[in-house]
């Protein structure tokens, strides 16, 4: 990082704050001296805060650019495959054919989970939300895999990373099967990552599973489009949990919990519920009015983004994939028509234009997942599955370099010091 300085004058003190430049993107001001001068920065929601240095993903929100280790997301989505992108995110380079073969083989031979984990599911109600189950079972992995929890050991970190990438599809599919009252399907090592997931989701023990290769390719592309996204809320949660030295399984479980919110990864499920609520194109205008009304909590789900003030490049690929999958399946889904009409109307409305509100990754993903046969409440589980390599890459990047425990401060506006009042005097 190259260094320049910013001057900050507080009262009669002028501080020289270092400015660092990255490879691309905005410079940052190092405000570390402020605490020693009795002040903190104040930035609720971390809108203007860089929490760390990273080499994994770069987003240019104004231009709608998303790079993973320098490679544009549309190229990766259209020319790569999810496990290759997992390797890229973790190790920083695209694998050679030999490296890829070894990595894929390691992952695909660790897809089974400890058989006792199956009974763990039985503690949940059949109608539990799959994300509630995922929070529980992923955290519980640290109760099963004691042999890969020494985060100071590079080999342990790698084993834990491989186990998580390998087992998330199995755990996710088990959530679905459990809520359906169907038997769990064991993974198959002869299938690729996406085919194996679809087999575990929709296969039954009574017959050979036939996976549609077009659908499997679309599923793999959806995993790639969700793989990583810089310091989003769930990734920042994983980093913060990891900064205390918590084991990787607990950190990823924390990320899953953060992802669940409708403002974040829960938006894909919320988009389908919103389209159901809108029902017909004739109702779009009234919902657009509600989305603009400050007194109405309704938001246009799948629209807007903290960083993108242009098209989310993932949404563009997702929309193309949507058309491919629906035409491959011969489905004419009125919700796709409704979504496209909603996008067209919103994008021509000054409220959305002035605020640079565009469709994000969640706007079209749900329509594809529904076409594949995945129920709405499983959508965020799919997002968590796809995001696992990103969470792991950021955790690994932090843990394998010098780091400090994350501990933000605050602006305190509560009571000044006062003495306790006994109950009979209140
Ligand atoms: C993801 O961070 C990531 O990278 C996340 C993610 C990833 O891959 O990890 O990309 C995945 O979470 C995508 C976002 C999914 N969420 C949604 O689709 C939910 C709907 N979107 C909004 O909740 C909102 O846009 C956020 C939460 C995504 C972003 O909120 P910000 O950055 O805090 O922006 P804001 O709330 O300050 O909005 C700015 C203005 C406000 O209006 P004004 O106060 O200026 O008048 O835009 C308005 C907001 O009211 N606004 C919307 C809106 N989103 C923002 N108005 C109507 N509908 C919306 N969807």
């Amino acid at each position: 990082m190259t260094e320049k300085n910013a001057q900050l004058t507080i009262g009669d003190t002028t501080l020289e704050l270092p400015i660092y430049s990255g490879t691309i993107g905005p410079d940052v001001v190092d405000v570390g001296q402020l605490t020693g001068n009795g002040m903190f920065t104040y930035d609720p929601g971390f809108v203007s805060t860089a929490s760390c240095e990273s080499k994994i993903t770069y987003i240019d929100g104004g231009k709608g650019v998303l790079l993973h280790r320098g490679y544009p997301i549309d190229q990766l989505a259209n020319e790569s495959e999810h496990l290759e992108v997992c390797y890229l995110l973790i190790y920083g380079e695209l694998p050679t054919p030999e490296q890829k073969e070894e990595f894929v083989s390691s992952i695909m031979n660790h897809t089974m989970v400890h058989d006792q984990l199956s009974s763990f599911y039985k503690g949940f109600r059949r109608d539990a939300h799959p994300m509630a189950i995922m929070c529980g079972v992923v955290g519980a992995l640290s109760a099963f895999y004691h042999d890969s929890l020494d985060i100071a050991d590079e080999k342990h970190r790698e084993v834990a990373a491989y186990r998580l990438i390998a087992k998330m599809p199995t755990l996710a599919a088990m959530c679905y099967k459990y809520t359906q009252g169907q038997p769990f399907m064991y993974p198959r090592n002869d299938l690729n990552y996406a085919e194996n997931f679809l087999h575990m989701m929709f296969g039954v023990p009574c017959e050979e599973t036939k996976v549609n290769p077009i659908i499997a390719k679309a599923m793999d592309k959806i995993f790639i489009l969700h793989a990583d996204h810089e310091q989003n809320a769930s990734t920042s949660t994983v980093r913060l949990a990891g900064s205390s030295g918590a084991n990787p399984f607990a950190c990823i479980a924390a990320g899953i919990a953060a992802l669940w919110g409708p403002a974040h990864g829960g938006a894909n499920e919320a988009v389908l519920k919103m389209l159901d609520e809108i029902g017909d194109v004739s109702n779009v205008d009234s919902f657009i009015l509600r989305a603009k009304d400050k007194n109405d909590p309704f938001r246009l789900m799948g629209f807007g983004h903290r960083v993108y003030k242009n098209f989310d490049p993932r949404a563009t690929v997702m929309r193309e994939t949507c058309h491919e999958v629906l035409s491959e399946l011969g489905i004419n889904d009125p919700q796709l028509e409704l979504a496209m009409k909603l996008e067209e109307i919103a994008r021509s409305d000054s409220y959305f234009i002035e605020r640079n509100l565009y469709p994000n990754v969640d706007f079209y993903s749900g329509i594809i997942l529904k076409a594949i046969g995945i129920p709405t409440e499983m959508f965020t589980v799919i997002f968590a599955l796809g995001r696992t390599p990103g969470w792991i890459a950021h955790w690994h990047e932090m843990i394998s370099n010098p780091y400090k425990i994350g501990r933000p401060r605050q602006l305190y506006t509560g009571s000044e010091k006062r003495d306790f009042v006994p109950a009979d005097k209140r």
Side-chain angles (χ1 to χ4, degrees):
M1 292 187 281
T2 57
E3 192 173 309
K4 306 172 280 241
N5 278 343
Q7 280 77 35
L8 177 64
T9 300
I10 303 169
D12 52 10
T13 307
T14 296
L15 302 175
E16 294 285 327
L17 302 178
I19 294 176
Y20 305 131
S21 300
T23 321
I24 36 179
D27 288 350
V28 296
V29 180
D30 181 340
V31 294
Q33 297 171 46
L34 281 180
T35 309
N37 286 275
M39 295 189 93
F40 303 139
T41 58
Y42 182 65
D43 184 22
F46 309 123
V47 178
S48 306
T49 294
S51 61
C52 62
E53 176 191 340
S54 180
K55 302 180 190 307
I56 299 170
T57 288
Y58 174 71
I59 302 172
D60 182 328
K63 297 189 184 122
V65 168
L66 170 58
L67 308 177
H68 290 321
R69 301 286 189 176
Y71 296 99
I73 187 62
D74 55 319
Q75 291 181 26
L76 292 172
N78 293 321
E79 298 173 47
S80 186
E81 55 192 52
H82 187 60
L83 284 185
E84 189 170 67
V85 173
C86 292
Y87 185 99
L88 173 68
L89 289 170
I90 293 170
Y91 294 108
E93 297 295 336
L94 288 168
T96 62
E98 298 72 26
Q99 289 168 331
K100 180 177 175 181
E101 186 184 352
E102 185 186 349
F103 181 73
V104 170
S105 167
S106 299
I107 296 293
M108 294 314 292
N109 284 289
H110 283 85
T111 51
M112 282 210 300
V113 293
H114 192 294
D115 220 34
Q116 260 180 256
L117 252 174
S118 315
S119 47
F120 200 88
Y121 283 73
K122 294 185 172 56
F124 293 98
R125 285 174 42 152
R126 290 282 181 180
D127 62 352
H129 194 292
M131 281 297 280
I133 302 174
M134 281 299 277
C135 288
V137 291
V138 173
L141 290 177
S142 31
F144 287 85
Y145 298 112
H146 297 286
D147 62 342
S148 63
L149 293 184
D150 175 2
I151 58 171
D153 181 325
E154 170 62 32
K155 193 61 192 155
H156 278 212
R157 292 201 294 265
E158 189 170 70
V159 167
Y162 282 33
R163 278 176 162 154
L164 280 158
I165 292 172
K167 299 177 192 309
M168 283 294 268
T170 311
L171 297 171
M174 289 169 78
C175 289
Y176 174 63
K177 285 301 194 187
Y178 184 70
T179 60
Q180 299 300 304
Q182 285 190 1
F184 297 141
M185 293 298 288
Y186 285 117
R188 277 176 42 187
N189 295 349
D190 62 315
L191 299 175
N192 70 36
Y193 195 75
E195 288 169 344
N196 190 33
F197 175 63
L198 293 169
H199 153 68
M200 294 186 289
M201 280 285 291
F202 302 118
V204 288
C206 344
E207 61 191 36
E208 186 71 16
T209 310
K210 292 182 186 60
V211 179
N212 178 327
I214 304 283
I215 302 305
K217 182 69 189 146
M219 192 79 254
D220 193 82
K221 193 181 278 191
I222 289 173
F223 291 153
I224 292 175
L225 292 171
H226 288 87
D228 188 50
H229 213 237
E230 197 214 68
Q231 307 307 325
N232 59 84
S234 54
T235 300
S236 298
T237 301
V238 170
R239 279 180 173 260
L240 197 56
S243 74
S244 75
N247 74 71
F249 304 108
C251 295
I252 299 303
I256 292 172
L259 185 75
W260 194 1
H264 189 15
N268 51 19
E269 178 177 357
V271 167
L272 260 289
K273 288 181 175 154
M274 175 186 74
L275 292 175
D276 276 341
E277 194 184 353
I278 293 173
D280 182 81
V281 175
S282 59
N283 300 325
V284 165
D285 289 339
S286 63
F287 277 85
I288 294 274
L289 280 176
R290 284 185 58 194
K292 302 192 299 190
D293 179 356
K294 291 288 163 257
N295 300 316
D296 188 328
F298 175 79
R299 285 282 174 277
L300 214 51
M301 302 316 280
F303 255 77
H305 198 278
R306 171 61 57 79
V307 177
Y308 288 121
K309 302 308 172 192
N310 199 320
F311 265 98
D312 177 338
R314 302 168 296 174
T316 307
V317 179
M318 202 69 88
R319 182 171 45 195
E320 289 157 10
T321 309
C322 209
H323 287 292
E324 285 163 19
V325 168
L326 267 63
S327 60
E328 164 62 23
L329 295 177
I331 296 175
N332 176 23
D333 184 350
Q335 282 192 320
L336 175 58
E337 308 307 318
L338 179 58
M340 291 172 64
K341 191 68 187 160
L342 187 60
E343 176 187 342
E344 180 196 321
I345 294 173
R347 288 299 308 135
S348 59
D349 183 296
S350 59
Y351 173 93
F352 293 87
I353 293 168
E354 284 157 14
R355 291 165 179 80
N356 294 305
L357 301 177
Y358 289 82
N360 59 47
V361 67
D362 294 305
F363 191 64
Y364 286 102
S365 58
I367 295 168
I368 307 175
L369 294 173
K370 181 185 145 199
I372 293 175
I374 293 171
T376 310
E377 60 275 3
M378 278 291 292
F379 289 179
T380 310
V381 173
I382 305 289
F383 194 147
L385 206 177
R387 183 52 54 89
T388 296
W391 286 332
I392 288 167
H394 282 275
W395 172 79
H396 189 267
E397 180 180 67
M398 179 182 74
I399 295 288
S400 41
N401 289 291
Y403 66 96
K404 294 172 77 67
I405 187 168
R407 206 286 187 207
R409 301 304 304 273
Q410 62 179 11
L411 171 68
Y412 176 69
T413 55
S415 300
E416 297 203 33
K417 181 174 176 297
R418 52 184 173 163
D419 294 327
F420 182 76
V421 178
D424 59 0
K425 299 253 182 325
R426 290 173 204 161

